[in-house]
Amino acid sequence: MLLRFPDGAEKTFTEGITPLDVAKSISSSLAKKVVGAYLDDDLYDLNRTIHRDGAIRLVTESDEKAFEILNHSSAHLLAQAVKTLYPNAQFGVGPAIEEGFYYDIALETSLREEDLAHIEKQMARHAKENHPMVRKEVSRKEALEIFKDDFYKTTLIEAIPDGDAITLYQQGDFLDLCRGGHVGFTSKIKHFKLLSLAGAYFRGDSDGPMMQRIYGTSWFSKEALDAHLALLEERKERDHRKLGKQLKIFMLNSEVGQGLATWLPNGYAVRKVLEDYVYEEERKAGYLHVSTPVLGSKHLYETSGHWDHYQANMFPPMERDGETFVLRPMSCPHHMKIFQSELRSYRDLPLRYAEIVTQHRYEASGALTGLERVRAMTLTDAHIFVRPDQIKAEVISAYELIDKAIADLGLEIAYLEFATRDDSKEKFHADETLWNEAEAVLEDVLVEAKIPYKKVPGEAAFYGPKIDFQVKTVLGHMITMSTIQLDFLLPERFDLTYINADGEKVRPVVIHRGYISTFERLMSILLEQTKGAFPVWLAPTQVILLPVSLDAHMDYTKTLYKSLMEAGYRVKIDEREEKLGYKIRDAQTQKIPYQLVIGDQEVADHSVTARQYGSSEQHTVSVEEFYDQLAQAVAKKSR
Ligand code: TSB
Ligand code: ZN
């Protein structure tokens, strides 16, 4: 039997060897790291015998595929352990997933978190016993016979397309239906952890039976497992839903309604700074601010094409006095009408209308996630009306404005997504010529400006292609934040025109621009990024004053408070009858950037003793010096 290796070398082996044997024939260290092999395009288990010639590529622990093979094998080990502990258990599917594996289990008793530790121990026992995971190919008839009392496996077998091989895997006395790709021996599974329980419908079908899903994760070394568990812990800590509650930033309440966030005073304080930032940056960049209603007539949204292409994301219409209204999912149609409200000349362009826009989208309830995906949202929006010869310069200046804001916010662009259409009829408008032109122009700008991007067909807006700014948080979470979209369609549908230099009526082009996303999504990103320790310019409370004595030091404290408030800072006095140490700890929990302790010395010298969030050091400085520090901290934003 002749096997060809990736480096071109060929070697003859006796028939019936396994990938493990092949690795051993090369080196014993390789044999330790190998987890399987590809023979041509077929994935082989580590212990599956090879009966034919072919190109072989050993899969070792460092291979991307290896994690999947290990985790898939771990799912089997989990099922084996569950079967040992609960002999009546039956099983649905048990795949590897991005960060581990799961198995869906049908069991009379409902499992509790405490049971996971027992199951984990049993897994460790079976791992030690070193069962080979033995592959058997069977006919459909045989498979159905073997699993005749098992509704789940029978259903899964019946779903296997005709002509596909049906394979079973035996490990110890546990037999499972599986396509394969295993580490061959249970002893290869060493560093794993069961993480959580959830309910899951069999094959995701909500009409089918509900099963119990156990999630786990499996790694090739203890270090890797520990690092992953630490990351999971960090993720919990940084979960914006948890932080938002703890720091009283926002609330989600089922009586208010699903996906409808309420901004609490602390959250609104941050949002107001961001609103002012957006307004000022836009003002300096020549944007004109407008304000339009959250409702629009349904007719307006029929004209724009939203009704035809975006209806699935809209709340149903409402009628009054013979007029039909919709809650707007976007503001573009309103801005089109502003453009249309006057006669426009080529000299008026570009016209940049900006608005902090509250809009409503119907997002499926399963898709709602804290503030990241909501149903009522406020977007930092703009629509820029340009002549064709101005497209490039305007796209680039919108890009630069966004780029600066992302840096000011202490975030980073991970990559740009160039979203184009695909051949879906419902999602995109039908004018081939407009599409081709818009995509070509936008891509040209990206290429000329040497901005690297990833092309993603099918993700465009219905009215045109877009550039989405993907931001990555410290946790590696990728989120669409800002967007620049090129639109030749809405000007057409609204019959927008301006008078060109030759006195003719011609069409403008529209650039839709989402600046720093919606405040909801942005807040979710900022919370995750900062763990709620906002930089000074954004912090809900920037300074807290802690008088040592509520009598002796109160006058001076109040004077300071007043002057800081007048100067535009967000300040609080802790007037509670508590020990100073307690108040300091509390201020740290609230992640307030500056804590000022005020006692006899400070009153006498006209000074403050300042401590910064996260530090145990304190410095006594003059009031003037403190003002300087504060102003500098605000000015540097999140940079
Ligand atoms: C930029 N008409 C354009 C606008 O002119 C528009 O609405 N584009 S959008 O559909 O891409 O949305 C703009 C931004 O809103 C997105 O880039 C995303 O950051 C944010 N966003 C979208 N859906 C949600 C949601 N459900 N919850 C929170 N933010 C959202
Ligand atoms: Zn728009």
Side-chain angles (χ1 to χ4, degrees), residues 341-556:
S341 66
E342 281 181 48
L343 190 65
R344 309 289 181 182
S345 130
Y346 68 98
R347 279 190 231 95
D348 300 331
L349 305 185
L351 260 176
R352 311 178 187 90
Y353 292 122
E355 182 172 355
I356 288 181
V357 165
T358 298
Q359 54 193 28
H360 296 81
R361 294 185 184 177
Y362 170 73
E363 301 274 6
S365 54
L368 298 171
T369 6
L371 283 184
E372 186 182 330
R373 190 171 291 279
V374 287
R375 287 178 173 168
M377 64 201 84
T378 302
L379 178 64
T380 48
D381 205 0
H383 294 95
I384 307 166
F385 297 82
V386 296
R387 305 190 303 251
D389 63 292
Q390 295 170 324
I391 295 174
K392 186 178 160 196
E394 281 302 306
V395 168
I396 290 174
S397 60
Y399 172 85
E400 284 167 353
L401 200 70
I402 292 171
D403 192 53
K404 171 168 188 284
I406 289 178
D408 280 343
L409 289 164
L411 302 169
E412 242 174 80
I413 301 173
Y415 66 94
L416 296 186
E417 221 171 72
F418 175 44
T420 57
R421 96 196 129 141
D422 59 16
D423 43 24
S424 152
K425 293 256 180 319
E426 315 87 69
K427 271 170 72 187
F428 306 110
H429 78 78
D431 194 323
E432 197 79 15
T433 326
L434 292 189
W435 266 113
N436 292 340
E437 194 179 349
E439 289 185 359
V441 171
L442 201 53
E443 190 155 22
D444 272 357
V445 174
L446 284 168
V447 171
E448 268 188 54
K450 297 202 171 66
I451 302 168
Y453 62 91
K454 248 189 227 172
K455 198 163 177 167
V456 278
E459 291 298 314
F462 78 83
Y463 44 73
K466 56 180 185 170
I467 306 171
D468 276 344
F469 291 64
Q470 303 294 331
V471 159
K472 192 175 175 179
T473 70
V474 275
L475 289 179
H477 183 184
M478 212 60 92
I479 310 175
T480 304
M481 190 168 132
S482 313
T483 183
I484 298 174
Q485 313 173 344
L486 198 57
D487 180 0
F488 289 52
L489 178 75
L490 296 200
E492 191 84 34
R493 301 201 56 141
F494 281 91
D495 192 20
L496 302 185
T497 55
Y498 64 91
I499 309 296
N500 72 8
D502 301 327
E504 300 153 343
K505 279 185 171 179
V506 288
R507 290 243 183 281
V509 175
V510 168
I511 299 167
H512 303 241
R513 185 233 53 185
Y515 190 6
I516 49 172
S517 184
T518 55
F519 291 116
E520 287 74 14
R521 179 165 296 185
L522 178 62
M523 179 54 90
S524 79
I525 299 172
L526 290 177
L527 280 171
E528 184 168 315
Q529 186 74 8
T530 63
K531 249 185 185 177
F534 289 103
V536 181
W537 75 297
L538 292 176
T541 302
Q542 296 167 308
V543 182
I544 189 159
L545 304 175
L546 309 172
V548 178
S549 149
L550 291 180
D551 301 319
H553 310 131
M554 208 52 175
D555 282 350
Y556 177 63

Side-chain angles (χ1 to χ4, degrees), residues 98-154:
E98 204 180 329
E99 298 188 338
F101 62 89
Y102 68 76
Y103 221 121
D104 286 346
I105 302 160
L107 196 60
E108 290 288 315
T109 45
S110 56
L111 294 167
R112 292 156 310 164
E113 295 283 331
E114 306 91 270
D115 299 323
L116 296 184
H118 291 294
I119 300 172
E120 219 174 80
K121 281 216 182 88
Q122 188 57 49
M123 285 171 75
R125 263 177 243 132
H126 285 321
K128 248 203 182 133
E129 288 154 12
N130 196 13
H131 302 284
M133 309 168 90
V134 184
R135 180 181 198 271
K136 282 188 218 168
E137 226 176 285
V138 293
S139 69
R140 183 175 302 262
K141 204 167 144 232
E142 285 168 301
L144 287 171
E145 175 60 26
I146 293 167
F147 288 107
K148 66 177 182 299
D149 299 324
D150 187 328
F151 159 77
Y152 302 96
K153 293 295 169 190
T154 311

Side-chain angles (χ1 to χ4, degrees), residues 132-245:
M133 309 168 90
V134 184
R135 180 181 198 271
K136 282 188 218 168
E137 226 176 285
V138 293
S139 69
R140 183 175 302 262
K141 204 167 144 232
E142 285 168 301
L144 287 171
E145 175 60 26
I146 293 167
F147 288 107
K148 66 177 182 299
D149 299 324
D150 187 328
F151 159 77
Y152 302 96
K153 293 295 169 190
T154 311
T155 312
L156 293 171
I157 292 164
E158 276 162 357
I160 297 174
D162 269 337
D164 280 19
I166 297 181
T167 49
L168 306 182
Y169 279 84
Q170 181 91 44
Q171 74 195 61
D173 51 14
F174 177 68
L175 183 68
D176 206 350
L177 173 74
C178 181
R179 217 179 259 284
H182 297 125
V183 291
F185 308 91
T186 58
S187 63
K188 282 254 172 191
I189 307 167
K190 292 193 181 103
H191 311 285
F192 56 88
K193 175 118 188 108
L194 296 182
L195 297 169
S196 60
L197 280 164
Y201 288 111
F202 178 48
R203 308 172 80 211
D205 173 5
S206 60
D207 295 330
M210 178 65 110
M211 308 187 78
Q212 303 187 62
R213 175 173 296 177
I214 298 180
Y215 284 100
T217 189
S218 193
W219 296 79
F220 287 109
S221 70
K222 183 169 183 322
E223 293 71 35
L225 173 65
D226 288 347
H228 183 69
L229 295 179
L231 175 74
L232 293 180
E233 221 20 69
E234 181 73 4
R235 244 184 236 168
K236 261 193 228 155
E237 290 274 299
R238 284 185 189 263
D239 187 316
H240 82 268
R241 289 163 291 195
K242 182 179 165 195
L243 288 165
K245 201 175 215 172

